[in-house]
Amino acid sequence: MKKAPLKESQLDLLAHNGWITIDNFITPNEVLAILKDIAFWQEEEAFKQAGVGKLLTHQIDKTYRRDKIKWIEPANCRSNTKKFIYSINNLMHQFQEAFFLPLKDFECHYAIYNIGDFYKRHSDQFNSHTHRILSIVLYLNNDWEAGDGGELVLYLPNQVKKIIEPLGGRLAIFKSEIEHEVLPAKTNRKSITGWMKDQYNDLNFL
Ligand code: OGA
Ligand code: NI
């Protein structure tokens, strides 16, 4: 799954707008392969109600966030997911060079939004997550169609709202400081969400 780096014009868009989507970042078959990794962890009952904050500040608040997550250990994850992480690391190197960003590490988890689940408006730099620089979401619903819900809404300057449909294979990248929300899912919605950070991962919280 070696991916061509982004084009100059895509880098410019990201730098200028603070966000970008890349359609078909992975193929429908690659989506299916990652879904198998997710199914494995579901079978192991490894998905947990997502919280807000980590370690001592970790809290579950289902009025704010309802997705279930499973953290991915990059060095020790299932092979289909590993290929994706490899391609994200390539992207990270490209961003380091293009933007002179001190990106050091990538942390990510699988996320499942069952019907009715949502994640209210937030920034990904809350609480102790101040080292998150770029947020990355890979969508895994190959058959997503209008009405299925679970769209990502970015709250941009000047009251501009950008709605991103969670189409399978699509990658959304945005500055972690940008506020955003996930609208209620009307069909089960799966994704990998991750962050490029300016600090190395502390593996204790996984
Ligand atoms: C998050 C998040 C967006 C999405 O997990 O912090 O905002 O589209 N996810 O899944
Ligand atoms: Ni978020």
Side-chain angles (χ1 to χ4, degrees), residues 119 122-124 174 180 195:
Y119 193 161
H122 64 280
S123 137
D124 287 345
F174 54 95
H180 55 280
W195 297 273

Side-chain angles (χ1 to χ4, degrees), residues 119 122 124 137 139 152 180 182 189 193 195:
Y119 193 161
H122 64 280
D124 287 345
V137 193
Y139 296 108
L152 170 66
H180 55 280
V182 179
R189 173 208 203 256
T193 306
W195 297 273

